[in-house]
Amino acid sequence: MVGIRDLAQRLNLSIGTVSRALNGKPDVNEETRKRVSDAADAMGYVPNQAGRALRKGSTGVVGFMMQTGSEITGEGDMFFMSVFDGVQTVFARHQLDLVALLCSSQEDPDAYLQRVVARGFADALIISATKREDHRIDFLANRKIPFIALGRSETDAGHPWLDLDFEGMAETGITRLVEKGHRRIGIFAPLDDANLGFILISAYRDVLNRHGIDFDPDLVFRGYPNERGGHAIAHAIAAMPKERRPTSFLLANEALSLGLYNGLYEVGLPPGQAIAVIGRDSPQAHFLVPKLTCFTLSLRELGIALAESLLATMPGYEQQYPLGTVRRVVPLELFEGQSDRNRGGA
Amino acid sequence: MVGIRDLAQRLNLSIGTVSRALNGKPDVNEETRKRVSDAADAMGYVPNQAGRALRKGSTGVVGFMMQTGSEITGEGDMFFMSVFDGVQTVFARHQLDLVALLCSSQEDPDAYLQRVVARGFADALIISATKREDHRIDFLANRKIPFIALGRSETDAGHPWLDLDFEGMAETGITRLVEKGHRRIGIFAPLDDANLGFILISAYRDVLNRHGIDFDPDLVFRGYPNERGGHAIAHAIAAMPKERRPTSFLLANEALSLGLYNGLYEVGLPPGQAIAVIGRDSPQAHFLVPKLTCFTLSLRELGIALAESLLATMPGYEQQYPLGTVRRVVPLELFEGQSDRNRGGA
């Protein structure tokens, strides 16, 4: 790569003069500035950002940590790209670039984050897939690195976070199913210690309890949050004794509905007829037959809120975004489809 | 952030001693090393990677440039996450981290790449969504930044690339449809100047020509490469006079089949009955009824090949990957489903 030293040598100028010319300092005359600028273009000069970061303490980059790996591809795919779009809308106002930090499913997220921070190429971080206890939160807070969590955690460093309103989904979804006569309501939860699993199951128990329905652990279906996971649920339901099966199902995860639909058709328990289904909106869900009754939110808006809430905590941006430390759940709306039109046998 | 200076002050040691202790140099005694290490942990010391990059000329990061935005979410989602997984498998051997550089669809990809390069936080780049003429290729080649392109381009800097075998898909797919009596074969192409559109349509014309079938521009359906794009094609077909409609369809893009299927059912032209469909494999396509006849490849293997081909051009890695400058198309296999079981009216 052509650096400032090569440029200075070629032009027979000092590095200081070339640097001041490139940075538009007033003590360089127009002719010199033009010579430097033309030579920089012609030689393919690349400003050394590593040097800049050292001086300014600012890289202009914000990292969004997410996990990759075949078993989580479903959710990772559909959700994050739309969120990124919203985040970028905000960052574009400030010439900040978003990069996705891809933590392989093979790797410990804590060790990954520590390495990424040590590489030091981002000014701030967005973390996702928060666990019930999440060491990343303490790690970043201790190092005073600005960050926001997409997802709640029991680990509390007084940090900003946004999360989906899983309690609201449980309340609205289960009450709707109970009012249609359902008493056996199945629910999906992830296999790992993602905090959303704890929040969702806890809310599910509370709402059932309020409706006078006993919690039945057999109605909690655990699996991978992707199409195959949804497909597997249908086959697990079919394998249960008839009187033990759920008559309805709440899916708070968007990636499973396609697989669940197809599985339910395969085992002869069609959605909206044998089993009422309430799910989450997704590009694929639009094409399901019968139309999926689902919770919707604008992922782009969620991305915008994430970015603005993060900037509210970053030096140099907090005055433009006087939001304080944002810690809130984002509500979802219910779209009424036909997938839960069947009534439960009371 | 706590830096090396704070650490040195606290310990009453010189910055040089602290640096040598942290870097495990032999001229620091064990006691001092332990003092430094304990203090670094206690104070939350963050090694300044910007400084490291300056000295070593190496960041340990490889960027994968991809485009985001609602109109391309379909393809972006399903394809890249699986490719990333393969790339990371290789990079993990070398403690290299992959970051996704997310170029918003609102932004000029050339300007974006220049800014990313100026930020200087990656040792090498993978670019995707290559255009017929792609300035990014010349830009990176001129600056001697190691890179590989996922996708061919008319812009040739002697650089490495990998691409899918669109010619092979056209040859196998169209010949299969012709042998089933089809003469009116529809094809999808993107709206923009993505090079794959040119390659695919050119191959489509060649293969038709070899079978003695005239090219009909009305059978080229352009749109966004996502579910909605597939859905729109079905409605466009239904709007054509019956005798002008395709009796079969080749989809070289994986994100459209779900929308196309649903659209075809809506307009009363069911796939595998009224219209033969050959598509691309995807997690969603597994659940289509009738089973989609489709081209498959391992995206993980593609990611591995991309990473190894890139390393083959990077200083310090080329001897471990003596592959030279890789420039090749990756073949796909045909999975025989039921979506093209109907014969064309000859």
Side-chain angles (χ1 to χ4, degrees):
Chain A
M1 278 196 255
V2 175
I4 196 162
R5 188 177 298 276
D6 311 283
L7 207 53
Q9 255 169 19
R10 171 75 66 93
L11 293 166
N12 205 16
L13 291 171
S14 74
I15 291 179
T17 303
V18 172
S19 169
R20 289 197 303 280
L22 290 170
N23 289 303
K25 292 276 154 54
D27 59 346
V28 181
N29 70 43
E30 189 49 43
E31 191 194 333
T32 307
R33 194 195 320 284
K34 188 161 179 345
R35 259 183 78 207
V36 171
S37 159
D38 290 350
D41 286 348
M43 294 171 66
Y45 164 71
V46 177
N48 191 327
Q49 190 64 26
R52 276 199 202 165
L54 262 185
R55 287 192 301 276
K56 291 197 199 165
S58 159
T59 62
V61 172
V62 174
F64 195 128
M65 178 173 166
M66 58 182 287
Q67 288 189 279
T68 64
S70 47
E71 70 275 25
I72 52 158
T73 300
E75 173 79 35
D77 289 355
M78 290 197 269
F79 185 81
F80 286 106
M81 292 296 150
S82 303
V83 175
F84 290 164
D85 199 40
V87 172
Q88 287 182 304
T89 303
V90 176
F91 285 178
R93 298 175 201 151
H94 306 287
Q95 285 83 49
L96 287 170
D97 280 319
L98 177 69
V99 304
L101 305 172
L102 306 164
C103 175
S104 158
S105 56
Q106 313 292 316
E107 190 164 7
D108 171 40
D110 298 341
Y112 175 84
L113 183 72
Q114 289 175 31
R115 195 171 67 240
V116 158
V117 166
R119 296 206 194 282
F121 61 78
D123 292 339
L125 291 170
I126 301 170
I127 61 173
S128 62
T130 44
K131 294 176 192 287
R132 191 165 167 83
E133 274 186 58
D134 203 312
H135 299 304
R136 298 176 300 172
I137 290 168
D138 282 335
F139 177 82
L140 293 171
N142 285 342
R143 275 151 191 78
K144 306 211 188 325
I145 294 166
F147 75 101
I148 187 167
L150 175 54
R152 281 165 279 176
S153 171
E154 301 273 301
T155 306
D156 188 351
H159 63 287
W161 54 259
L162 285 173
D163 201 358
L164 305 191
D165 183 10
F166 293 104
E167 292 89 340
M169 281 190 262
E171 174 66 43
T172 307
I174 292 167
T175 301
R176 182 175 162 97
L177 291 169
V178 169
E179 284 171 357
K180 287 176 188 268
H182 294 281
R183 309 279 298 174
R184 297 191 62 74
I185 300 169
I187 194 160
F188 168 80
L191 288 165
D192 61 12
D193 55 345
N195 196 43
L196 74 87
F198 294 96
I199 292 174
L200 186 64
I201 299 306
S202 162
Y204 166 77
R205 292 181 77 136
D206 287 351
V207 180
L208 285 181
N209 190 41
R210 221 164 328 118
H211 289 292
I213 300 173
D214 286 339
F215 173 75
D216 178 351
D218 287 353
L219 295 181
V220 177
F221 293 78
R222 292 194 183 267
Y224 289 114
N226 58 22
E227 291 84 2
R228 285 179 199 278
H231 189 252
I233 289 171
H235 286 266
I237 290 174
M240 295 168 86
K242 264 194 182 158
E243 70 285 1
R244 306 277 308 143
R245 288 178 189 161
T247 62
S248 57
F249 209 94
L250 180 65
L251 268 182
N253 180 299
E254 63 186 356
L256 285 81
S257 48
L258 180 63
L260 178 64
Y261 259 58
N262 281 276
L264 289 176
Y265 281 119
E266 280 175 17
V267 299
L269 296 168
Q273 294 175 49
I275 307 242
V277 177
I278 299 181
R280 273 270 302 284
D281 194 24
S282 78
Q284 279 82 37
H286 286 287
F287 298 111
L288 293 174
V289 181
K291 276 270 182 222
L292 182 66
T293 294
C294 57
F295 290 99
T296 71
L297 85 163
S298 163
L299 296 177
R300 198 178 129 80
E301 292 294 324
L302 176 63
I304 289 173
L306 260 181
E308 294 187 339
S309 305
L310 175 64
L311 289 171
T313 70
M314 287 172 68
Y317 299 99
E318 56 219 323
Q319 297 198 329
Q320 287 172 77
Y321 299 93
L323 306 172
T325 302
V326 174
R327 301 161 72 92
R328 70 175 168 90
V329 294
V330 176
L332 292 92
E333 273 185 61
L334 188 78
F335 167 84
E336 302 204 16
Q338 271 90 47
S339 63
D340 63 341
R341 66 193 154 184
N342 58 306
R343 300 188 64 84
Chain B
M1 277 195 256
V2 174
I4 196 161
R5 188 177 299 275
D6 311 284
L7 208 53
Q9 255 170 18
R10 171 76 66 94
L11 293 165
N12 204 17
L13 291 171
S14 74
I15 290 179
T17 302
V18 173
S19 169
R20 290 198 303 282
L22 290 169
N23 289 304
K25 292 278 154 55
D27 59 348
V28 181
N29 70 43
E30 190 48 45
E31 192 195 332
T32 307
R33 196 194 320 284
K34 189 161 177 342
R35 258 184 78 208
V36 171
S37 159
D38 289 350
D41 286 348
M43 294 171 66
Y45 164 70
V46 177
N48 191 328
Q49 191 62 30
R52 276 200 200 163
L54 262 184
R55 289 193 300 276
K56 291 197 197 163
S58 158
T59 62
V61 172
V62 174
F64 195 128
M65 177 174 166
M66 58 181 287
Q67 289 188 279
T68 63
S70 48
E71 69 277 23
I72 53 159
T73 299
E75 174 77 35
D77 290 356
M78 289 198 270
F79 184 82
F80 285 106
M81 292 294 150
S82 303
V83 175
F84 289 163
D85 199 40
V87 171
Q88 287 181 304
T89 303
V90 176
F91 285 177
R93 296 174 202 152
H94 306 286
Q95 286 82 50
L96 287 170
D97 281 318
L98 178 68
V99 303
L101 305 172
L102 306 164
C103 175
S104 157
S105 56
Q106 313 291 319
E107 191 165 5
D108 171 42
D110 298 342
Y112 175 84
L113 183 72
Q114 290 175 30
R115 193 171 68 239
V116 158
V117 166
R119 296 206 193 279
F121 61 77
D123 292 340
L125 291 170
I126 301 170
I127 61 173
S128 63
T130 45
K131 294 176 192 285
R132 190 166 167 85
E133 274 186 60
D134 202 314
H135 300 302
R136 297 176 301 172
I137 291 169
D138 283 335
F139 177 82
L140 293 170
N142 285 343
R143 276 152 191 78
K144 305 210 186 329
I145 294 166
F147 76 101
I148 187 166
L150 175 56
R152 282 166 277 177
S153 171
E154 301 273 301
T155 306
D156 188 351
H159 63 286
W161 54 258
L162 285 173
D163 201 358
L164 304 191
D165 183 10
F166 293 103
E167 293 88 339
M169 279 189 262
E171 174 67 42
T172 307
I174 292 167
T175 301
R176 182 175 164 96
L177 291 169
V178 169
E179 284 171 356
K180 286 176 187 268
H182 295 281
R183 308 281 297 173
R184 298 191 61 74
I185 301 170
I187 194 160
F188 168 79
L191 286 165
D192 62 11
D193 55 344
N195 197 42
L196 74 88
F198 293 97
I199 292 174
L200 186 65
I201 299 305
S202 161
Y204 166 78
R205 293 181 76 135
D206 287 353
V207 180
L208 286 181
N209 190 41
R210 219 161 332 115
H211 289 293
I213 300 173
D214 287 338
F215 173 76
D216 177 351
D218 287 352
L219 295 181
V220 178
F221 294 77
R222 293 193 183 267
Y224 290 114
N226 57 22
E227 291 84 2
R228 285 178 198 278
H231 189 253
I233 289 172
H235 286 267
I237 291 173
M240 296 168 85
K242 264 193 180 159
E243 70 284 0
R244 306 278 308 145
R245 288 178 189 161
T247 62
S248 57
F249 209 95
L250 181 65
L251 268 183
N253 180 299
E254 62 185 358
L256 285 81
S257 48
L258 179 63
L260 179 63
Y261 259 57
N262 281 277
L264 288 175
Y265 281 119
E266 280 175 16
V267 300
L269 296 169
Q273 295 175 47
I275 307 243
V277 177
I278 299 181
R280 275 270 300 286
D281 194 24
S282 79
Q284 279 81 37
H286 286 287
F287 298 111
L288 292 175
V289 181
K291 276 269 181 223
L292 182 67
T293 294
C294 57
F295 290 100
T296 72
L297 86 163
S298 162
L299 295 178
R300 199 179 128 82
E301 292 295 324
L302 176 64
I304 289 172
L306 260 181
E308 295 188 340
S309 304
L310 175 63
L311 289 171
T313 70
M314 286 172 67
Y317 299 99
E318 57 219 320
Q319 297 197 329
Q320 286 173 77
Y321 299 93
L323 306 171
T325 303
V326 174
R327 300 162 72 92
R328 70 177 167 88
V329 293
V330 176
L332 291 93
E333 273 185 62
L334 189 77
F335 166 83
E336 302 205 16
Q338 272 89 48
S339 62
D340 64 340
R341 67 194 154 183
N342 58 307
R343 301 189 63 83

